[in-house]
Amino acid sequence: MKKCVMIMFVLCLSLHISMNVEAVSPKKLSLASKSAILVDSTTGRVLYEKNGYERMYPASLTKIATAIYALENGNLNDIVTISKNVEHTDGTKVYLVEGEQVTLKHLIQGLLINSGNDAGVAIAEHMSGSVSEFAKNLNTFLMDKVGVSATHFVNPHGLFAKNHYTTAYDIAKITNYAMKNKTFRQIFETKELSWNGKEWKTVLITHHLMLKGELEYKEVTGGKTGYVNESGQTLATTAENKNIRLTVITMDAKTKSEAYNDTKKLLDYGFKYHSLI
């Protein structure tokens, strides 16, 4: 009888250990993005990565850095007068026009929610006088304050330049740093915002499909999209449940579907294998 009890005890113990090992064991993920990383937002611990430290072009993920720099170093109530240079910025816009006056906070909202490149240039000119000077100041901030080591930006928006680069790890680090700022979090999680510009009156809607609910993932708390030809699809996503907060960065996916599928795989992995650790 004692022998049977002992055998049953050993079997149960073995099953318990096996189940716990399965719960924390790394799982090989099939990711289409060239580079990707999953990070514990609270501790900064890397939970999974694929080429996470490889130099990449970030496209509009750059705007996460621009936003937190402006939030920490500017006065949100400042009135910014839009220049001709801002009006003629290429790419995605909030359609600012020369002479228009906008608060710095509203420019940051237009930068993050609608990915306005013109808002980025307006912020740069207001903060530093020019895009080139802003880039120098931004790089110093990212190195000295955020602690990145493989990032070099030459503009505030992420339009392609050969010497404008970063890594998935650095973008995750910048995002986690930014998320400590209450105003940044509020803007980063915004799904819709009224925009009453001089020439453009509309409702801005986040481009991030998970955040706005077009692709359902209820734990998602914020996000930023990016794309230029040279970078492919880039995506930054934050999410949390009652046990853990996660940050996912995917870079150089060929399609939006690949970027979002990879993000979902990484979030699923993080919540399944690391929520209770």
Side-chain angles (χ1 to χ4, degrees):
M1 182 66 177
K2 289 183 178 180
K3 186 175 181 180
C4 290
V5 172
M6 180 60 70
I7 291 172
M8 289 297 294
F9 173 77
V10 172
L11 287 173
C12 289
L13 181 62
S14 298
L15 180 60
H16 175 73
I17 292 173
S18 176
M19 289 174 66
N20 281 329
V21 169
E22 182 182 357
V24 300
S25 293
K27 175 184 177 184
K28 183 70 174 177
L29 299 177
S30 176
L31 302 176
S33 300
K34 185 174 181 181
S35 174
I37 201 161
L38 168 69
V39 176
D40 182 320
S41 309
T42 303
T43 66
R45 186 164 69 100
V46 176
L47 307 178
Y48 195 95
E49 62 92 16
K50 172 188 174 183
N51 301 322
Y53 306 94
E54 184 174 325
R55 182 180 292 185
M56 307 294 292
Y57 297 124
S60 286
L61 301 193
T62 304
K63 291 164 182 164
I64 297 170
T66 296
I68 189 57
Y69 176 84
L71 285 166
E72 288 202 359
N73 294 279
N75 182 336
L76 296 183
N77 296 318
D78 277 356
I79 302 299
V80 179
T81 301
I82 302 305
S83 71
K84 184 176 181 179
N85 184 47
V86 169
E87 181 177 348
H88 293 286
T89 305
D90 293 331
T92 307
K93 299 183 180 187
V94 286
Y95 298 98
L96 301 166
V97 295
E98 184 178 4
E100 183 175 358
Q101 294 190 315
V102 188
T103 64
L104 180 60
K105 181 178 181 179
H106 209 40
L107 289 173
I108 296 170
Q109 291 171 321
L111 178 81
L112 286 177
I113 299 168
N114 200 63
S115 204
N117 293 337
D118 50 354
V121 174
I123 291 168
E125 291 184 348
H126 175 71
M127 299 287 297
S128 304
S130 69
V131 166
S132 59
E133 192 63 26
F134 178 82
K136 292 177 185 177
N137 295 336
L138 178 60
N139 288 326
T140 299
F141 169 80
L142 293 175
M143 287 187 291
D144 294 349
K145 197 76 180 285
V146 182
V148 302
S149 59
T151 293
H152 183 264
F153 291 152
V154 300
N155 62 55
H157 40 57
L159 287 175
F160 175 72
K162 186 176 181 180
N163 289 322
H164 188 96
Y165 56 80
T166 186
T167 65
Y169 175 74
D170 273 8
I171 290 291
K173 197 167 187 176
I174 295 166
T175 302
N176 289 341
Y177 178 91
M179 289 293 282
K180 295 175 184 177
N181 182 290
K182 181 180 178 180
T183 304
F184 179 90
R185 288 199 311 273
Q186 289 173 342
I187 300 172
F188 203 58
E189 70 183 14
T190 299
K191 299 176 183 180
E192 295 185 5
L193 180 79
S194 295
W195 185 268
N196 192 28
K198 186 175 181 180
E199 294 292 331
W200 198 44
K201 303 181 190 330
T202 189
V203 175
L204 304 183
I205 300 174
T206 179
H207 298 180
H208 195 291
L209 301 184
M210 286 177 160
L211 179 59
K212 68 180 177 180
E214 192 169 323
L215 295 176
E216 187 175 357
Y217 206 105
K218 63 183 177 63
E219 290 84 1
V220 168
T221 58
K224 183 73 194 74
T225 62
Y227 175 79
V228 292
N229 288 336
E230 295 83 356
S231 74
Q233 298 288 340
T234 63
L235 197 63
T237 308
T238 57
E240 64 180 58
N241 64 15
K242 63 181 180 180
N243 297 311
I244 194 169
R245 294 167 53 237
L246 300 173
T247 300
V248 171
I249 309 297
T250 61
M251 307 186 80
D252 199 2
K254 292 180 180 178
T255 66
K256 288 183 180 181
S257 292
E258 288 182 348
Y260 284 106
N261 287 340
D262 287 349
T263 297
K264 182 180 184 303
K265 288 178 183 179
L266 287 162
L267 289 175
D268 287 348
Y269 174 86
F271 287 129
K272 179 176 181 180
Y273 291 98
H274 294 278
S275 280
L276 299 177
I277 296 176

